[in-house]
Amino acid sequence: MMKLASIFKKKTEAKRADASEAATPQTDVFQGTAKKRVSLARSRVAFVTVAFVAVYAVIGGRLVHYSLAKEDGTVARAAAPLTLARRPDIVDRNGAIMATDVRMMSLYADPSMITSADDVLEALKPIFPDLDVKRAYRLLRSRGEFVWLKRQITPRQQSQVLAAGVPGVGFRPEVRRFYPGGPEAAHILGLVDIDNRGLSGIERYMDKTDGISGLMGLGLTGSMGLKPFEVSLDLRAESIVRDTLVRGVEKFEALGATGIILRADTGEVVALASYPDFDPNNPPPASDKRMLNHAITGVYEMGSTFKLFTLAMGLESGKFNLQSMVDAKTPLYFGSSRIGDDHAQNRILTYPEVFTYSSNIGASRIAGAVGPDYQKNFLEKLGLLDRIETEIGGSGTPQKPQKWGGVFSATVSFGQGITTTPLQTAAAAAAIINGGKLMPPTFLPRTPEEADRAATRVISEDTSDKMRYLLRLNGTEGSGRNGQVPGYRVGAKTGTAEKIIDGKYAHDHNFNAFLAAFPMDDPEYVVLVTIDDPKKVEGVPGRTAAWNAGPMTGEIIRRTAPILGVDPDFGEDGNARLAAY
């Protein structure tokens, strides 16, 4: 039995082995077929994926190429969104728009779709008479697929191109900066380039400080809804100042003029104009003289307006008071240099009379008494000897004497032998009459608290009070009478400086300035007008500052004071308070 069981077991195992050997080839064939199917499916998916990636890469590449094309048909340095991104509006202190973006269309061509560049140009030339035909022909014959033909065209030009059915051309939307006021505040607002990036003025300041350029590079500003950028200007006052300058230059046949309105308590520039000017919507070349902002970049001898600082210096030094007497009986001599008075009184003058008679002799004696070191330090504290910085840049560098003392200190005391900018002069004057605090002028809104933090005390309140009295006195009894406006108690000082021509002072060519503030018992605004080389005209007694810059300043105050919120006061209280000194 054991033997039979063993034989049966061996036969069973042999059958199982034979069955296993018979089944193995069939299983291998099945498994191999399955693997081939999986591999084939994977290959198909990979092929489709690569095809999609390739197609979209080509499309994306074309879009990037189109977006990077410059006006001259080459690849630009910045991404496409630059041409579509919007800049924030610039608004004045009352919310009036001074700069904004408008939607435009630009004309481009695909050279690969153009069979005859001559035919295209023949169709476009009547629509764009200023088209550079040689350049356009070169671009149309290039191997590229996107070239700019004309940036920022008008709707009429676009419709004419469509009507002409020009093959191979198309349109792309862009934005263009628009300045509703034209030349008003042009020197302050500045310019942008063809891609809407700031080049100068507030436009450039925005890009530098608010990161507008970076956002534009990412194409984000168009959809972010950036809030308007507010400046300190009052567009109404700006318009009045410019209008007054234009008419003044025409009337007095002058080379140019500037006008500034500065808030005395904050240093905010409410209006600033330099004429001749330009229209930023259609600007001239950068080298054009109209592009120069004479109120900030130009440096001039400001003449007798400097006596405001000289008399403040005398009071602040403690060597003089309003009861002091100053010898002006005879001219002063420094070697071969002679200093005399245009309206010589040939007597000892009171301290206020030095101001109202605008005595060069008296101012020289005050400078001599305080000493050259004190004089230099005092003018430095007022910010008159060094270049100032503002948001719009471009400030001129003052010129000062190589050495101080003697005739140099004497001439500086009445504004000769030293140059500075009109804006610096206005800012220093504000410090003299606002209680003694010098604040850097700004084109941005500034609260009184912010102004206090930025301020530097340069004279005492007592000295400031006395200088307000002297300014008001000169406005009513001295050379400032022609700048008076009833009800506004204007204090003023004239400055008539002889221009230097061919290295010599020319007696028949002047640079005139009229410095004013109002109302003098509680000053709110400083106004400075300069006029370059005015002529003596019929019906006007003279060509000094009292007869041209003075009436222009009065006109500005008369027209702007009501809109700036300064109510007229025809009472005598203000004058009485000043007279107490």
Short mmCIF file of all heavy atoms in Angstrom, two decimals, residues 13 89 166 172 212 353 395 423 437 465 499 550:
data_model
loop_
_atom_site.label_atom_id
_atom_site.label_comp_id
_atom_site.label_asym_id
_atom_site.label_seq_id
_atom_site.Cartn_x
_atom_site.Cartn_y
_atom_site.Cartn_z
N GLU A 13 2.35 14.62 -9.29
CA GLU A 13 3.30 15.75 -9.36
C GLU A 13 3.80 15.94 -10.78
O GLU A 13 4.00 17.05 -11.26
CB GLU A 13 4.48 15.49 -8.42
CG GLU A 13 4.10 15.60 -6.95
CD GLU A 13 5.26 15.26 -6.04
OE1 GLU A 13 6.31 14.79 -6.57
OE2 GLU A 13 5.16 15.51 -4.83
N ASP A 89 -4.00 109.65 -11.64
CA ASP A 89 -4.24 111.06 -11.94
C ASP A 89 -3.44 111.92 -10.97
O ASP A 89 -3.19 111.53 -9.83
CB ASP A 89 -5.72 111.41 -11.80
CG ASP A 89 -6.57 110.78 -12.89
OD1 ASP A 89 -6.01 110.33 -13.91
OD2 ASP A 89 -7.81 110.74 -12.72
N VAL A 166 -5.79 98.78 -45.56
CA VAL A 166 -4.36 98.51 -45.70
C VAL A 166 -4.06 97.10 -45.19
O VAL A 166 -4.34 96.78 -44.04
CB VAL A 166 -3.53 99.55 -44.93
CG1 VAL A 166 -2.04 99.31 -45.15
CG2 VAL A 166 -3.91 100.96 -45.34
N ARG A 172 -3.25 98.50 -31.70
CA ARG A 172 -3.12 98.06 -30.31
C ARG A 172 -3.52 99.21 -29.39
O ARG A 172 -3.13 100.36 -29.62
CB ARG A 172 -1.69 97.66 -29.99
CG ARG A 172 -1.31 96.26 -30.44
CD ARG A 172 -0.08 95.80 -29.71
NE ARG A 172 -0.34 95.68 -28.28
CZ ARG A 172 0.61 95.59 -27.36
NH1 ARG A 172 1.87 95.65 -27.71
NH2 ARG A 172 0.31 95.47 -26.09
N ILE A 212 5.56 103.42 -8.95
CA ILE A 212 4.65 103.32 -10.09
C ILE A 212 5.31 102.58 -11.25
O ILE A 212 4.71 101.76 -11.92
CB ILE A 212 4.18 104.70 -10.55
CG1 ILE A 212 3.47 105.42 -9.39
CG2 ILE A 212 3.24 104.60 -11.74
CD1 ILE A 212 2.26 104.72 -8.88
N GLU A 353 13.86 153.65 8.42
CA GLU A 353 14.11 154.44 7.22
C GLU A 353 15.14 153.76 6.31
O GLU A 353 15.09 153.92 5.09
CB GLU A 353 14.59 155.84 7.59
CG GLU A 353 13.48 156.75 8.09
CD GLU A 353 13.99 158.12 8.50
OE1 GLU A 353 15.17 158.23 8.93
OE2 GLU A 353 13.22 159.10 8.37
N SER A 395 17.01 122.08 -8.94
CA SER A 395 17.31 123.34 -8.26
C SER A 395 18.68 123.87 -8.67
O SER A 395 19.65 123.11 -8.81
CB SER A 395 17.28 123.14 -6.74
OG SER A 395 16.01 122.72 -6.32
N LEU A 423 12.69 130.71 -5.62
CA LEU A 423 12.00 129.88 -4.63
C LEU A 423 12.71 129.94 -3.29
O LEU A 423 12.05 130.01 -2.23
CB LEU A 423 11.91 128.44 -5.13
CG LEU A 423 11.17 127.47 -4.19
CD1 LEU A 423 9.75 127.93 -3.93
CD2 LEU A 423 11.19 126.06 -4.74
N LYS A 437 10.43 130.48 11.62
CA LYS A 437 10.70 129.08 11.31
C LYS A 437 10.90 128.88 9.81
O LYS A 437 10.04 129.21 9.00
CB LYS A 437 9.54 128.21 11.79
CG LYS A 437 9.37 128.21 13.30
CD LYS A 437 8.21 127.32 13.71
CE LYS A 437 8.03 127.29 15.23
NZ LYS A 437 6.89 126.42 15.62
N ASP A 465 8.27 139.58 14.44
CA ASP A 465 7.22 140.60 14.62
C ASP A 465 7.69 141.96 14.11
O ASP A 465 6.95 142.68 13.42
CB ASP A 465 6.86 140.73 16.11
CG ASP A 465 6.09 139.52 16.62
OD1 ASP A 465 5.56 138.76 15.78
OD2 ASP A 465 6.05 139.33 17.85
N LYS A 499 21.69 143.79 -14.40
CA LYS A 499 22.15 142.53 -14.96
C LYS A 499 23.63 142.61 -15.36
O LYS A 499 24.12 143.67 -15.73
CB LYS A 499 21.31 142.15 -16.18
CG LYS A 499 19.85 141.87 -15.87
CD LYS A 499 19.09 141.41 -17.10
CE LYS A 499 19.62 140.09 -17.60
NZ LYS A 499 18.79 139.54 -18.70
N GLY A 550 5.96 145.15 -9.16
CA GLY A 550 5.04 145.56 -8.09
C GLY A 550 3.58 145.45 -8.49
O GLY A 550 2.79 144.76 -7.82
#
